[in-house]
Amino acid sequence: MKIAMANDHAGLSLKLEIKNWLTAQGHEVLDFGTHTEEAADLPDFVLPAVEALSKGEVDRAILVDGVGYGSAMIANKLPRVFAAVCQDSFCAELARSHSDTNALCLGGKIIGSALAMEIVRVWMTTEWLGNTEPKYARRVQKVVAIDSQHCC
C-alpha cells in the first residue's frame, strides 16, 4: 500500500517511528515532511499529503501533529479524504471497520509511542465491514454523497 505521511514539529519523532514500521511492513511511504523539530506550520505539510490522497496518488495518509485535530481539519476539507483522529485502538478499529476512513490523524503530544504504534497497526490491518455488512456500506455511501455534493 502507498501511504502519504506528514507532520509538524510536534509530530516528527512519532512520524519517523511510524514510517519505519510501515516500511518494514512492506508499504511505500511518501514523506511530505516536516523533517526538523523547528516550529513549522502544519498546513504546509499536511495539505500536499492529503492532496495526494484526494487525487488517488496514495491509498491512505497518516498525519501526526500535536493533538491530531489540526491535521483532521485540513484533511477533511479535501474531496475523497475521510480523516479520523484516533487516541486509542478501539477508535482506530471503528474508524476503519465502520467508517472506511482513509486518513489517520494522531497527536504526538497526547499519546505515547507504544499506544500510537498499536493504533497504527490496528488502523492499517482492519478491514472495512461495508464489503460484508450492507448497513456500513449504506452509511458510508451517504457520507461520500455529502462529500461529492458539498466538498470543494
Side-chain angles (χ1 to χ4, degrees):
M1 195 177 299
K2 190 181 282 191
I3 312 295
M5 292 196 76
N7 61 284
D8 66 3
H9 53 284
L12 178 63
S13 63
L14 185 55
K15 179 201 67 178
L16 293 175
E17 187 174 351
I18 295 166
K19 179 181 175 180
N20 288 337
W21 182 83
L22 289 169
T23 302
Q25 297 300 308
H27 299 288
E28 180 182 351
V29 176
L30 300 179
D31 187 343
F32 289 86
T34 185
H35 304 289
T36 73
E37 290 183 340
E38 293 180 31
D41 294 338
L42 187 61
D44 296 342
F45 306 99
V46 169
L47 181 59
V50 294
E51 283 177 331
L53 182 59
S54 179
K55 293 175 185 175
E57 298 168 355
V58 297
D59 302 300
R60 294 189 190 173
I62 299 177
L63 313 167
V64 187
D65 63 41
V67 296
Y69 297 117
S71 292
M73 288 171 54
I74 297 163
N76 284 320
K77 299 285 188 231
L78 276 73
R80 295 170 300 281
V81 176
F82 304 98
V85 178
C86 295
Q87 296 176 347
D88 58 48
S89 58
F90 180 71
C91 291
E93 181 180 359
L94 294 179
R96 283 291 309 135
S97 66
H98 290 197
S99 302
D100 197 25
T101 57
N102 58 4
L104 173 64
C105 304
L106 299 169
K109 290 181 178 180
I110 303 296
I111 57 175
S113 169
L115 180 56
M117 295 309 297
E118 179 63 10
I119 291 167
V120 170
R121 185 194 66 74
V122 168
W123 188 78
M124 288 296 298
T125 59
T126 299
E127 295 293 324
W128 178 47
L129 294 176
N131 295 324
T132 57
E133 296 188 36
K135 68 181 179 182
Y136 298 114
R138 182 182 68 248
R139 292 168 185 167
V140 167
Q141 188 52 45
K142 288 179 179 184
V143 174
V144 170
I146 292 167
D147 178 69
S148 67
Q149 292 173 352
H150 298 284
C151 190
C152 312

